[in-house]
Amino acid sequence: VTQVSTLADHEGKSTASSAEPPEICIVELGGTLGDIESMPFVEALRQLQEHLGYKNMMFVHVSLVPVLGSPSEQKTKPTQHSVKTMMQL
């Protein structure tokens, strides 16, 4: 809980304390969405979206969809799970 509030507070202060807020800010959240290790960062982004307003923030989801086996078959379950998690933000 402390880590989440610290990250969110830092993001909010950085954005709010600028003399001129940036027009565009790109934040990359690497790793697997839904893992316990990434949850503090996901929560910080959710809080930042709440602070800025949903019309002023956009999430872009990039995912690997591997093709395995014979016959070739796309493995989409991990991508489906991460999209579901991201839609809940």
Side-chain angles (χ1 to χ4, degrees):
V1 173
T2 304
Q3 188 175 13
V4 172
S5 63
T6 303
L7 287 168
D9 289 346
H10 176 71
E11 284 299 322
K13 288 175 186 172
S14 316
T15 306
S17 67
S18 305
E20 285 187 39
E23 288 186 32
I24 297 174
C25 180
I26 299 174
V27 178
E28 178 186 2
L29 177 63
T32 303
L33 209 55
D35 280 354
I36 192 81
E37 293 87 11
S38 67
M39 291 314 294
F41 302 102
V42 172
E43 178 60 19
L45 288 176
R46 188 197 65 76
Q47 289 180 17
L48 182 61
Q49 180 185 33
E50 188 174 303
H51 174 74
L52 297 175
Y54 76 95
K55 290 184 177 182
N56 296 320
M57 188 164 177
M58 175 176 65
F59 293 102
V60 177
H61 185 267
V62 179
S63 178
L64 172 67
V65 179
V67 179
L68 303 172
S70 179
S72 297
E73 183 179 9
Q74 292 182 335
K75 301 296 180 184
T76 61
K77 189 56 93 177
T79 299
Q80 292 173 19
H81 177 70
S82 63
V83 167
K84 181 182 174 186
T85 302
M86 193 168 122
M87 295 297 289
Q88 294 173 347
L89 292 178

